[in-house]
Amino acid sequence: MERKRRVFMLAAIAGGAALSSTAFAQAKLDEKDPQAQALGYVADATKADKAKFPKYAAGQVCSNCTLYQASGACAIFGGKVVASKGWCSAYAKKAA
Ligand code: SF4
């Protein structure tokens, strides 16, 4: 009886953990987000506004930016997920 109860409790905990990880799945950054627009974020770095952001250089993408996290989130945008091939004017090359 005790064992059954323990198994039930573990299942309930595991279910709750699965539910909360879904509920807290990180939001994706929208290019139309006001902060994203202010920093010129684009999900496709090749579409960066080169006239407005002349510091953009080919090869600069989120995935090689120091602010890009392993989860795909960006520290600048409150942990929202950015495109690995994206870019914004806060780009800072990751140290090799
Ligand atoms: Fe991408 Fe870096 Fe800009 Fe974040 S700060 S959106 S990782 S280029």
Side-chain angles (χ1 to χ4, degrees), residues 4-95:
K4 267 188 182 171
R5 186 167 174 255
R6 196 175 302 145
V7 169
F8 173 77
M9 291 300 284
L10 285 172
I13 291 166
L19 202 73
S20 61
S21 68
T22 306
F24 294 108
Q26 288 166 303
K28 204 170 149 190
L29 179 65
D30 190 330
E31 286 183 7
K32 292 184 179 76
D33 177 292
Q35 193 188 351
Q37 286 187 325
L39 290 173
Y41 170 78
V42 281
D44 178 352
T46 63
K47 295 195 168 69
D49 187 341
K50 290 144 192 114
K52 198 170 173 187
F53 303 106
K55 79 166 213 165
Y56 168 77
Q60 294 181 349
V61 287
C62 291
S63 60
N64 63 27
C65 171
T66 192
L67 296 157
Y68 188 73
Q69 298 164 355
S71 62
C74 172
I76 286 275
F77 293 109
K80 282 188 180 168
V81 172
V82 294
S84 61
K85 291 189 161 94
W87 183 88
C88 88
S89 59
Y91 175 87
K93 189 172 172 47
K94 194 185 287 183

